[in-house]
């Protein structure tokens, strides 16, 4: 199996090769790699790929894992419809 074809971020289909290329280009934080490859921006918000990317950064740069900061994880909010916006629907918690 070609190691570079391994999918690191399943949500955004980012491969190990793309992660390694980004690190070689000088992006050496999880946040930077997230921004240039979109890894960690899918529904799981990097819960799966974040640690894998941090491990790859550690291996390629020689930086200890303890010093690598993980990406910001945002809570999964759902969208609202235009109908809810135009009607001014009040949520139960907003009363």
């Amino acid at each position: 199996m070609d190691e570079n074809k391994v999918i690191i971020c399943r949500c955004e289909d980012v491969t190990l090769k793309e992660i390694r290329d980004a690190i070689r280009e000088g992006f050496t934080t999880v946040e930077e790699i997230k921004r240039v490859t979109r890894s960690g921006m899918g529904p799981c918000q990097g819960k799966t790929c974040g640690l894998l990317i941090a491990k790859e950064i550690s291996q390629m740069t020689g930086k200890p894992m303890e010093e690598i900061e993980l990406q910001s994880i945002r809570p999964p909010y759902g969208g609202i419809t235009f109908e809810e916006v135009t009607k001014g629907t009040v949520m139960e918690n907003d009363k």
Side-chain angles (χ1 to χ4, degrees):
M1 176 178 209
D2 185 357
E3 192 174 75
N4 287 327
K5 292 182 181 177
V6 172
I7 300 289
I8 296 294
C9 177
R10 290 183 285 175
C11 299
E12 296 294 329
D13 285 337
V14 179
T15 65
L16 180 58
K17 180 182 183 321
E18 292 173 290
I19 300 299
R20 287 178 173 168
D21 288 347
I23 295 169
R24 283 187 198 105
E25 290 175 25
F27 301 104
T28 56
T29 68
V30 176
E31 274 296 327
E32 289 173 332
I33 291 174
K34 175 182 172 181
R35 293 171 199 274
V36 297
T37 66
R38 295 198 47 82
S39 59
M41 291 186 169
C44 85
Q45 291 288 292
K47 289 180 187 129
T48 303
C49 63
L51 284 174
L52 296 172
I53 294 168
K55 180 182 167 200
E56 197 61 30
I57 292 169
S58 175
Q59 288 177 345
M60 289 184 69
T61 64
K63 194 173 182 179
M65 278 292 286
E66 300 82 35
E67 294 180 17
I68 297 174
E69 191 173 326
L70 296 178
Q71 78 279 6
S72 302
I73 296 176
R74 294 174 180 81
Y77 290 110
I80 59 172
T81 65
F82 283 114
E83 182 180 4
E84 290 171 324
V85 173
T86 58
K87 286 184 177 179
T89 302
V90 177
M91 304 295 288
E92 284 294 318
N93 295 336
D94 293 340
K95 291 181 181 178

